Amino acid sequence: MGKYKIFVDGSAGTTGLRIADRLAQCSDITVLPISDADRKNLHARAALINESDLSFLCLPDDAAREVVPLLRSDVRVLDTSTAHRTDPAWVYGLPELHGTREKLKTAARVAVPGCHATGFIAPTAPLVQLGLLPKTTQLCCYSLTGYSGGGKKMIAEYEAPRTDPALNAARPYGLALHHKHLPEMAAVTGLDKPPLFVPVLADYYAGMETMIPLDLPALGLTAQQVADALASYYAGEALVTVHPLNSGTDGGFLAANKLAGRDGLEIFCLANPDGTQMQLISLFDNLGKGSSGAAVQCMNLMLGRKETEGLKQ
């Protein structure tokens, strides 16, 4: 069998570069090149995508929407932008959600999840699917991320000599509770409303920690029920680990960069002493399971490769 022909549209961006770096290590893949002159040529890019066995769109939303109509319906595309994540014609690329893995194996259009969205959906979607969280539940969510999630401009800002003392502090953003990941957070979990969500940017390179508090009596649940349900749902998964109730922290701390450089996601189930309140925490790398690692995992399934090929567990 010959090598797979893969094209990365937008390989100069942070996600595109990381995907291209991963593909360069694969002996069964040839990355289709594009000249500097054609990088912004819509029709040249579309021609390369149509020539490929599979392509990644690592583009701004509008650019992703612009190129898709020019593509053959059977060409296989993974879009890392926000553009198609709630489009029912696209498969949402979180393989561990029940029923998704089989869809990915035959899909031609796949939307790679957003990083904050992954941290929220991984613990909550199973609880909605299992009927433990009513669809009418209004959740809150806080998510801490390293500055690499802001792309090349933000990385350069943080890594240059400091002139702005604000960069030394954690900085919540999306303060008006309006973030681009909110539509997929609701659509993929099945909740009627997106969470009240505040992301927080901090002075470290990579890693994400997404926190979701639960009022257990209001939901008619116990902490053990929730922890057991998540452990059962993700049993046997190579890239998602659920820690037993009230375990797994580092002496009561969890560093948001603990899984930097890895492609898995860990879920922590932590309850207060009287069992009335609980916090679900997703810990992962925003550049791994939150972007390029997730994209490669989906590619592996679409091409019939080993699902974890090229990923660091």
Side-chain angles (χ1 to χ4, degrees), residues 235-260:
E237 290 291 349
L239 295 171
V240 175
T241 300
V242 179
H243 292 272
L245 182 63
N246 290 329
S247 70
T249 67
D250 300 319
F253 290 90
L254 270 181
N257 64 353
K258 183 177 181 178
L259 297 185

Side-chain angles (χ1 to χ4, degrees), residues 42-272:
L42 175 62
H43 292 281
R45 290 165 31 230
L48 277 170
I49 296 171
N50 283 327
E51 178 189 337
S52 72
D53 294 307
L54 180 147
S55 288
F56 295 89
L57 305 183
C58 303
L59 305 166
D61 290 5
D62 288 344
R65 293 188 186 98
E66 182 183 39
V67 75
V68 168
L70 302 180
L71 307 181
R72 297 194 327 264
S73 61
D74 62 326
V75 69
R76 310 189 84 179
V77 175
L78 277 155
D79 183 8
T80 68
S81 81
T82 312
H84 298 102
R85 291 179 187 157
T86 59
D87 187 331
W90 290 63
V91 176
Y92 191 79
L94 191 54
E96 293 82 5
L97 292 182
H98 290 187
T100 301
R101 185 172 277 113
E102 290 306 311
K103 292 179 183 177
L104 286 168
K105 292 177 181 179
T106 58
R109 298 286 187 269
V110 174
V112 180
C115 51
H116 293 295
T118 295
F120 177 75
I121 291 166
T124 54
L127 301 179
V128 177
Q129 287 182 17
L130 296 169
L132 296 177
L133 271 184
K135 292 185 176 184
T136 54
T137 306
Q138 177 67 79
L139 293 174
C140 294
C141 178
Y142 302 88
S143 191
L144 183 64
T145 183
Y147 57 77
S148 60
K152 293 171 76 172
K153 182 178 179 181
M154 182 171 286
I155 292 170
E157 182 182 25
Y158 269 86
E159 295 187 347
R162 295 287 170 88
T163 57
D164 183 356
L167 300 182
N168 301 326
R171 294 193 292 167
Y173 63 103
L175 298 177
L177 303 177
H178 182 70
H179 189 276
K180 66 180 182 178
H181 291 176
L182 288 172
E184 66 189 282
M185 287 174 160
V188 180
T189 57
L191 291 168
D192 291 344
K193 296 178 286 188
L196 301 171
F197 172 57
V198 178
V200 184
L201 174 67
D203 183 16
Y204 65 97
Y205 183 74
M208 184 162 279
E209 186 166 356
T210 306
M211 297 160 279
I212 307 151
L214 299 178
D215 181 340
L216 295 171
L219 296 168
L221 297 172
T222 68
Q224 194 66 61
Q225 272 182 292
V226 173
D228 289 349
L230 290 171
S232 176
Y233 189 94
Y234 288 116
E237 290 291 349
L239 295 171
V240 175
T241 300
V242 179
H243 292 272
L245 182 63
N246 290 329
S247 70
T249 67
D250 300 319
F253 290 90
L254 270 181
N257 64 353
K258 183 177 181 178
L259 297 185
R262 292 167 59 184
D263 293 305
L265 180 148
E266 298 183 11
I267 296 174
F268 298 80
C269 307
L270 308 172
N272 67 347

